[in-house]
Amino acid sequence: VQLQASGGGLVQAGGSLRLSCRASGRTISRAGMGWFRQAPGKEREFVAAIGRNGGNIQYADSVKGRFTISRDNAKNTVTLQMNGLKPEDTAVYLCAADYQAILTWVPDIGGERFEVWGQGTQVTVSS
């Protein structure tokens, strides 16, 4: 399976972007999906995750109320709607899949249990 993230770009503070992660080669319907980000010189950081059936949604405190994760299993796609962007949201955003997810899945916010990773898309927020 391959994950292709897209939708990044340059936006002013307060603006919005919509990131998409499209899987190919295998359905994501049995995978818990997550978004992470990594800024230059910083460690990878959990952003949001969603369970197999669209439940078990979890957000990092830093993005709660601003970001929304969703999925469309029929289209093999996970989306991250980002509103109210701040300069500190600047990072490469990566999507990832955990194919060991069960219906009561709790996402591993450290990322170690996500087996498949996409290449990332750059988000830059100017002040």
Side-chain angles (χ1 to χ4, degrees):
V1 58
Q2 290 187 329
L3 302 177
Q4 180 75 39
S6 62
L10 173 64
V11 64
Q12 289 188 332
S16 298
L17 284 173
R18 186 177 180 87
L19 305 185
S20 291
C21 175
R22 183 173 179 85
S24 59
R26 187 177 179 185
T27 178
I28 64 166
S29 62
R30 292 190 176 275
M33 300 297 295
W35 285 97
F36 293 77
R37 66 188 181 187
Q38 188 162 19
K42 294 187 177 181
E43 292 189 354
R44 186 179 63 199
E45 176 187 22
F46 169 77
V47 176
I50 186 168
R52 290 164 47 179
N53 295 333
N56 297 23
I57 290 176
Q58 188 167 337
Y59 296 99
D61 288 343
S62 58
V63 307
K64 275 182 185 175
R66 300 188 297 124
F67 291 11
T68 303
I69 189 171
S70 60
R71 66 189 294 160
D72 185 336
N73 287 342
K75 296 182 178 180
N76 239 19
T77 300
V78 177
T79 299
L80 186 69
Q81 177 66 43
M82 306 188 297
N83 298 328
L85 283 162
K86 304 175 181 180
E88 51 263 44
D89 294 319
T90 295
V92 173
Y93 282 71
L94 308 113
C95 61
D98 176 2
Y99 278 92
Q100 303 303 313
I102 57 177
L103 290 178
T104 55
W105 177 68
V106 175
D108 171 25
I109 63 173
E112 284 77 17
R113 287 205 295 270
F114 285 86
E115 309 135 298
V116 184
W117 292 81
Q119 88 293 351
T121 185
Q122 176 71 46
V123 171
T124 303
V125 185
S126 63
S127 57

